[in-house]
């Protein structure tokens, strides 16, 4: 048996500028024969918050993709917590629409969610270009194993390539739970290590020199670390002056620039020959940081040579670009204390709007 509520509910539907539309609903209540309780009729077009429709919740969610919660709350004359709840409903609907992933090529990286070396792991589907998992307690092997447990043994076995940095726990967890996956070390992380070696040489040269000889090196860190074609006209002039004034930095810079050729080879034998010639050129150069870098590359050679295979030619810039996007999300919110909210923001940042 059913009857109508005597009190008519007012439900907010949409807001656009100064125009606000409300719906007046009469909701039926039912006397349940099984449990003996009185229950209300469920309406599909209502949001989880029954004072708003789904259409309005999705409107709020779309606005929050471009603005902060505080800005949207001020624009729509809503409470801050209401806007956050509506946005979370919107993001949950986005994830429900795309379904559970079954990736073939994954990218693995960690992000710092707060100060004090507090990390979480982000896993991305590189073929579809979107993050699919955010979690773990740190960046340990056990935390990485949580992703494969969430994905399931069957889908984990279908992963053919895993792109990551040279962090050992990520590699061990992948080898244990996705044995068919080839491991490829991200070239951006490799080149970052080479940039750190170059900066160490720059610091040692600055410490060795004194007086006016230092003026060419001071303030030129990012000029050295940048690629020549990415520099402005003034940057190219400063680089030319610096390299002409310091022979060791000139050698270190040329070695750094030439190393990028490693990823252009399509056969492992050619890539290995190039690396051996590059390492041999370090002899008598007195560049200890570069020698340490070459030793590290030699230890991790399998994960670098994997890029020579045609089936492993994937876009390696997505993981680095996603990290930049996550930092923008955190900076716009002045830090996010709610980890579940941060998880939803990351997992939906590449999804199309509803």
């Amino acid at each position: 048996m059913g009857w109508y509520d005597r009190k008519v509910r007012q439900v907010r539907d949409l807001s656009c500028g100064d125009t606000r539309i409300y719906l007046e609903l009469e909701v039926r209540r039912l006397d349940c024969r099984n449990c003996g309780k009185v229950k209300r009729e469920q309406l599909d077009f209502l949001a989880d918050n029954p004072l708003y429709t789904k259409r309005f919740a999705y409107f709020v969610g779309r606005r929050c993709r471009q603005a902060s919660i505080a800005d949207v709350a001020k624009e729509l004359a809503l409470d801050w917590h209401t806007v956050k709840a509506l946005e979370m409903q919107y993001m949950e609907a986005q994830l429900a629409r795309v379904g559970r992933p079954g990736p073939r090529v994954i990218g693995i990286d960690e992000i710092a969610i707060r100060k004090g070396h507090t990390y979480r792991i982000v896993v991305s589907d590189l073929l579809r270009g979107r993050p699919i998992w955010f979690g773990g307690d740190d960046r340990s092997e056990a935390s990485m194993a949580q992703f494969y447990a969430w994905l399931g043994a069957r889908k984990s076995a279908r992963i053919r390539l895993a792109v990551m940095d040279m962090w050992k726990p990520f590699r061990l967890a992948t080898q244990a739970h996705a044995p068919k996956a080839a491991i490829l070390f991200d070239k951006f992380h490799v080149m970052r290590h080479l940039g750190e070696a170059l900066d160490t040489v720059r610091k040692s040269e600055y410490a060795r020199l004194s007086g006016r000889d230092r003026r060419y090196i001071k303030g030129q860190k990012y000029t050295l670390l940048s690629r020549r074609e990415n520099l402005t006209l003034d940057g190219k002039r400063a680089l030319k002056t610096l390299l002409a004034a310091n022979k060791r930095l000139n050698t270190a810079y040329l070695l750094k620039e030439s190393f990028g050729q490693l990823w252009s080879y399509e056969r492992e034998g050619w890539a290995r020959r190039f690396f051996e010639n590059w390492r041999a050129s370090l002899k008598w150069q007195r560049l200890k940081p570069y020698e340490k870098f070459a030793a590290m590359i030699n230890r991790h050679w399998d994960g670098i040579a994997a890029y020579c295979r045609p089936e492993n030619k994937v876009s390696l810039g997505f993981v680095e670009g996603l990290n930049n996007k996550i930092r923008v999300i955190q900076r716009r919110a002045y830090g996010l204390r709610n980890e579940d909210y941060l998880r939803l923001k990351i997992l939906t940042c590449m999804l199309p709007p509803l």
Side-chain angles (χ1 to χ4, degrees):
M1 179 178 181
W3 63 92
Y4 288 99
D5 274 340
R6 291 181 181 176
K7 184 178 180 181
V8 176
R9 293 197 301 159
Q10 206 174 43
V11 180
R12 192 166 184 178
D13 177 42
L14 185 62
S15 175
C16 184
D18 294 331
T19 304
R20 296 187 178 94
I21 303 173
Y22 292 88
L23 301 177
E24 291 188 350
L25 305 176
E26 287 185 342
V27 183
R28 290 183 298 180
R29 292 189 298 172
L30 302 175
D31 191 0
C32 182
R33 296 178 179 177
N34 294 328
C35 64
K37 297 180 180 179
V38 176
K39 296 186 177 180
R40 248 177 207 179
E41 177 184 14
Q42 297 294 323
L43 301 178
D44 291 338
F45 61 87
L46 288 183
D48 291 343
N49 185 333
L51 297 178
Y52 304 94
T53 63
K54 281 185 179 178
R55 184 167 64 169
F56 181 72
Y58 291 176
F59 171 78
V60 172
R62 287 192 296 271
R63 288 291 297 115
C64 288
R65 287 170 70 94
Q66 290 86 30
S68 66
I69 294 177
D71 291 337
V72 176
K74 183 178 180 180
E75 175 189 341
L76 301 179
L78 293 173
D79 181 71
W80 186 93
H81 295 90
T82 300
V83 173
K84 182 178 179 181
L86 293 176
E87 185 192 5
M88 291 184 71
Q89 180 186 352
Y90 173 80
M91 293 188 290
E92 292 283 7
Q94 282 183 294
L95 292 177
R97 172 175 288 188
V98 297
R100 198 171 182 86
R104 297 292 190 275
V105 180
I106 60 173
I108 305 169
D109 205 358
E110 76 278 353
I111 63 166
I113 61 171
R114 63 179 66 92
K115 293 182 179 179
H117 297 285
T118 304
Y119 296 100
R120 295 295 181 268
I121 300 172
V122 179
V123 182
S124 306
D125 185 336
L126 295 186
L127 295 183
R128 290 177 172 81
R130 69 179 184 91
I132 57 175
W133 190 78
F134 169 89
D137 303 315
D138 45 30
R139 51 177 184 167
S140 64
E141 184 178 349
S143 292
M144 189 66 236
Q146 292 179 25
F147 162 71
Y148 293 108
W150 170 82
L151 190 63
R154 184 175 62 86
K155 289 185 177 180
S156 297
R158 296 167 67 182
I159 298 174
R160 65 174 180 83
L161 180 66
V163 181
M164 63 187 74
D165 58 18
M166 290 181 279
W167 185 243
K168 188 176 180 181
F170 291 171
R171 185 172 76 252
L172 294 178
T174 300
Q175 290 172 342
H177 299 278
K180 295 182 180 179
I183 293 176
L184 173 63
F185 295 132
D186 187 358
K187 70 176 181 181
F188 292 96
H189 288 89
V190 175
M191 295 303 292
R192 185 180 301 166
H193 285 286
L194 182 55
E196 291 172 357
L198 174 59
D199 194 48
T200 303
V201 175
R202 181 191 66 84
K203 291 177 181 178
S204 65
E205 285 298 288
Y206 186 81
R208 183 178 64 86
L209 300 174
S210 61
R212 291 175 58 84
D213 294 336
R214 286 184 169 185
R215 69 184 186 276
Y216 299 110
I217 301 176
K218 187 175 182 180
Q220 299 301 325
K221 173 182 177 180
Y222 295 104
T223 302
L224 280 171
L225 294 181
S226 300
R227 301 187 64 180
R228 191 187 299 269
E229 57 266 25
N230 295 335
L231 291 172
T232 62
L233 184 59
D234 291 339
K236 290 179 180 178
R237 289 172 181 167
L239 178 64
K240 183 178 180 180
T241 304
L242 170 61
L243 298 184
N246 192 292
K247 184 178 179 181
R248 288 192 72 207
L249 283 178
N250 180 63
T251 302
Y253 182 81
L254 293 176
L255 286 169
K256 188 266 292 186
E257 288 287 280
S258 64
F259 189 82
Q261 184 180 339
L262 179 66
W263 279 272
S264 64
Y265 292 102
E266 296 182 355
R267 293 188 180 180
E268 183 179 347
W270 295 347
R272 185 69 193 188
R273 180 179 298 177
F274 167 81
F275 172 68
E276 292 295 345
N277 291 335
W278 186 89
R279 185 166 62 169
S281 66
L282 298 177
K283 194 175 182 181
W284 314 116
Q285 299 298 338
R286 296 180 295 115
L287 297 173
K288 291 294 183 181
Y290 275 59
E291 293 173 8
K292 291 181 180 179
F293 171 78
M296 180 191 69
I297 295 299
N298 190 53
R299 290 194 305 271
H300 298 86
W301 176 253
D302 289 342
I304 295 172
Y307 193 64
C308 297
R309 304 186 189 103
E311 65 272 16
N312 295 341
K313 297 289 185 180
V314 296
S315 176
L316 299 180
F318 177 82
V319 175
E320 199 67 22
L322 177 63
N323 274 347
N324 292 334
K325 198 172 187 69
I326 292 172
R327 283 192 285 269
V328 170
I329 292 172
Q330 292 175 307
R331 187 164 58 249
R332 190 173 68 188
Y334 297 98
L336 294 170
R337 297 181 181 179
N338 187 335
E339 195 168 316
D340 188 50
Y341 178 75
L342 176 61
R343 180 186 69 84
L344 290 173
K345 291 290 283 186
I346 292 173
L347 296 183
T348 59
C349 67
M350 299 293 186
L351 295 181
L354 295 178

